[in-house]
Amino acid sequence: MSRTGLEGGAEPGLPAQELPWNQASVNIRSPLLRLHTEIVEFCRFLEPTAEEAVMREAATQRVRQSIIEVYASASVQVFGSFVTGLYLPTSDIDLVVMNSSADDVKIALKALGNKLGNTGIAIKIQVVANAKVPIIKFVEVQSNINFDISFDVANGPIAAGFVRDLMDTLPPMKPLVLVLKIFLQQRSFNEVYQGGIGSYALFVMVAAFLLLHPSRHPSRPGSKRAGSLENSLGVLLVDFFRLMGRTLNMDEVGISCSHGGAFYNKIDAEKEQPQRMYMLSVEDPADSANDLCRGSWNILKVKQAWDFAYQQLTAPSDPSESLLERIIRVDTVLTDRARPVEPEVPEQLEQQIRDEMHHRSKRSRKEHKHRDKDSRHRDQDKEKDGDSRHKDKKRRRERSLEFSDPDPDVQPDRDRSHRSSSRDADKRHRRHKDQKLRKSDRHRSSRGISPSDVRHSKHIRFSE
């Protein structure tokens, strides 16, 4: 069903009408409105079910209890996508152990790994000790959920609060981040230690993109008041892929969401990497000296995937085709999920869809009504013209019969007169045709086209 590579889209598998997130968008003619509707439905489909939420909470409690058994004085805090609500069905859970009193973080991570493995809580345990922030990664056995645990790093919970505040300010943030997260995850570009882009860095990028979007520019010259943010998720997603995939000069320019969003010179901000000038630079809003993408060494492939997505979403499409399926792979992790009971898609997005669809439907009915009215008028005019011509023809026939000579000897003269008038009509027709041809020849000659070529090539169409 799927294909590999940077594209990572879906091979033709499920028909568009059978996709879980494409029911409301089938046959919408506007591609961007269809994409907007698909994103809304996709976010509704990805919302966690009550069972998933309970399972994640129970798994977190089991892991927290195991940590407390090793570090009794520590406090275990949850942060990341599980707290902000930006997690996918396959997203991991991020925990940080605060006040652990560990002298060596690497030794502490190994000790925790041994505890989790010996008690049968975790499998596939991996200690990433050489990362900027050392972590331990594992899979909780009972729930099969991935966990990432770090020690004494306070910026994670602080960042979670910042994310929630910004999501309240920018409603399109959540649906865009969810689509982009699964886009990166399906291409294995979502892990920083593998050269990809982490969830927090992606969130900051999307925040900066929205804050700097052209729709927010002041509507009047000299005005300091920002405009209204574009509310079409389809337009915003395409604009993001265009900016990050082909427009942003990553060699020289970085991006920040601080102070209303800004682009900055990497050299002036001392965030350039002389040996890798192609690297993307994203400023941490909590620490301006921290570059969130400093370790994303695979950024060139990520950029190539973003550019490919832009091309896919802007290519011609059929109204019955799913645009989101061009960039999101349809796999069993998505299609086998139960639909959420209580979706939490922002109400303003659903209201926008209803208003837009109502507006388009009303406009379409109005245009159709005008077309029908014009068509009826034209038909009536044709009928009137036809009746008038028929009456004129009948009147001329009656007059000709009234003044006709019944003497058969005069009939030959009348036939000769008819043939003479017919020859005169043919002459007039040929003269009129020659005049039109000479006029057409003069027009073509003025454009450098040979009249003789046109005459002898009547099946060739010429355009300026």
Side-chain angles (χ1 to χ4, degrees):
M1 180 182 293
S2 61
R3 64 186 177 205
T4 59
L6 297 177
E7 296 85 350
E11 292 287 359
L14 291 175
Q17 292 84 352
E18 297 181 9
L19 291 173
W21 56 84
N22 197 50
Q23 303 301 316
S25 61
V26 175
N27 295 328
I28 296 179
R29 298 192 63 83
S30 170
L32 291 176
L33 179 59
R34 188 162 76 250
L35 180 58
H36 173 105
T37 310
E38 282 194 70
I39 294 173
V40 173
E41 293 298 318
F42 185 67
C43 293
R44 176 182 285 116
F45 177 75
L46 289 180
E47 284 290 338
T49 62
E51 293 77 8
E52 288 175 334
V54 170
M55 181 177 62
R56 283 179 171 267
E57 187 62 38
T60 302
Q61 291 298 332
R62 289 191 292 270
V63 173
R64 178 183 281 113
Q65 184 60 36
S66 298
I67 296 173
I68 295 300
E69 292 177 3
V70 180
Y71 303 98
S73 61
S75 64
V76 181
Q77 300 182 26
V78 185
F79 68 99
S81 60
F82 186 43
V83 175
T84 60
L86 294 172
Y87 65 92
L88 304 173
T90 55
S91 292
D92 53 25
I93 297 177
D94 298 303
L95 302 178
V96 57
V97 182
M98 301 298 296
N99 305 318
S100 65
S101 302
D103 297 330
D104 191 327
V105 175
K106 296 180 181 180
I107 295 176
L109 291 173
K110 292 180 180 179
L112 180 60
N114 292 333
K115 170 67 176 178
L116 296 172
N118 294 334
T119 56
I121 295 292
I123 57 175
K124 299 181 181 179
I125 301 171
Q126 178 185 6
V127 176
V128 186
N130 296 324
K132 183 179 180 180
V133 178
I135 60 174
I136 179 173
K137 302 172 69 69
F138 60 88
V139 177
E140 203 267 335
V141 173
Q142 189 169 337
S143 63
N144 201 34
I145 295 176
N146 292 276
F147 278 80
D148 289 355
I149 299 179
S150 58
F151 275 71
D152 299 314
V153 181
N155 58 0
I158 295 174
F162 169 77
V163 168
R164 286 195 296 266
D165 293 341
L166 205 52
M167 284 174 58
D168 293 337
T169 306
L170 301 170
M173 176 74 70
K174 182 176 181 178
L176 288 179
V177 171
L178 287 175
V179 172
L180 292 170
K181 281 186 68 173
I182 202 165
F183 175 85
L184 293 175
Q185 185 184 81
Q186 290 187 342
R187 293 157 178 80
S188 300
F189 291 149
N190 61 317
E191 295 287 357
V192 178
Y193 75 95
Q194 293 180 341
I197 296 176
S199 297
Y200 183 54
L202 177 64
F203 179 87
V204 173
M205 290 168 59
V206 175
F209 160 75
L210 292 176
L211 292 171
L212 295 168
H213 194 267
S215 62
R216 284 176 51 86
H217 293 175
S219 56
R220 297 180 180 179
S223 175
K224 295 183 179 180
R225 184 177 180 179
S228 178
L229 178 63
E230 169 67 53
N231 56 13
S232 170
L233 296 175
V235 173
L236 292 174
L237 183 62
V238 170
D239 286 349
F240 178 87
F241 283 135
R242 178 172 54 196
L243 173 66
M244 305 307 301
R246 56 175 55 188
T247 304
L248 183 64
N249 180 12
M250 296 183 182
D251 291 359
E252 301 177 2
V253 179
I255 191 169
S256 170
C257 69
S258 299
H259 309 295
F263 297 109
Y264 58 84
N265 187 289
K266 289 167 59 175
I267 297 178
D268 294 343
E270 298 181 352
K271 289 185 173 64
E272 83 282 5
Q273 301 183 44
Q275 303 301 322
R276 298 186 297 182
M277 290 298 294
Y278 60 85
M279 293 287 287
L280 173 63
S281 177
V282 178
E283 183 182 88
D284 185 351
D287 180 8
S288 59
N290 182 31
D291 187 348
L292 296 174
C293 287
R294 188 172 186 83
S296 302
W297 45 266
N298 211 14
I299 189 61
L300 291 181
K301 289 186 177 180
V302 176
K303 183 178 181 180
Q304 185 178 351
W306 281 334
D307 182 60
F308 174 82
Y310 170 72
Q311 297 177 51
Q312 287 294 300
L313 294 180
T314 54
S317 63
D318 187 85
S320 62
E321 180 185 1
S322 168
L323 289 173
L324 203 57
E325 190 186 11
R326 291 182 173 186
I327 63 172
I328 300 297
R329 185 171 64 249
V330 183
D331 52 28
T332 55
V333 175
L334 297 177
T335 57
D336 292 349
R337 290 182 69 246
R339 294 300 297 268
V341 178
E342 298 180 358
E344 298 179 0
V345 177
E347 293 183 1
Q348 58 267 36
L349 298 182
E350 294 185 290
Q351 185 61 40
Q352 181 209 345
I353 283 290
R354 289 194 292 267
D355 294 344
E356 183 70 18
M357 293 296 293
H358 175 72
H359 173 70
R360 288 177 178 271
S361 177
K362 185 177 179 181
R363 185 173 59 187
S364 177
R365 288 197 300 270
K366 188 175 181 181
E367 292 176 353
H368 185 69
K369 183 178 179 181
H370 285 310
R371 285 197 298 268
D372 289 345
K373 186 176 180 180
D374 294 341
S375 178
R376 287 196 298 270
H377 286 322
R378 286 194 298 269
D379 293 341
Q380 292 174 359
D381 293 340
K382 287 181 180 179
E383 291 178 0
K384 291 180 180 178
D385 293 341
D387 293 341
S388 178
R389 286 194 297 270
H390 178 70
K391 291 179 179 178
D392 291 343
K393 187 175 181 180
K394 184 178 180 180
R395 192 179 299 111
R396 287 194 299 270
R397 187 183 304 112
E398 290 174 351
R399 293 183 63 182
S400 64
L401 291 175
E402 181 180 355
F403 293 101
S404 61
D405 189 354
D407 189 353
D409 296 336
V410 184
Q411 188 68 28
D413 294 337
R414 188 163 57 246
D415 292 341
R416 284 196 299 272
S417 176
H418 175 73
R419 288 195 297 271
S420 176
S421 61
S422 177
R423 285 195 298 269
D424 293 342
D426 291 341
K427 289 180 180 179
R428 287 195 299 271
H429 176 70
R430 286 196 298 271
R431 187 162 55 250
H432 179 67
K433 186 176 181 180
D434 291 341
Q435 289 176 353
K436 288 182 63 177
L437 185 60
R438 285 195 294 271
K439 184 177 179 181
S440 177
D441 289 346
R442 287 196 300 270
H443 177 64
R444 292 191 178 97
S445 298
S446 64
R447 294 190 296 166
I449 304 174
S450 172
S452 60
D453 292 340
V454 176
R455 290 175 187 170
H456 299 294
S457 306
K458 61 181 180 180
H459 297 294
I460 300 176
R461 296 180 58 188
F462 293 90
S463 60
E464 296 183 6

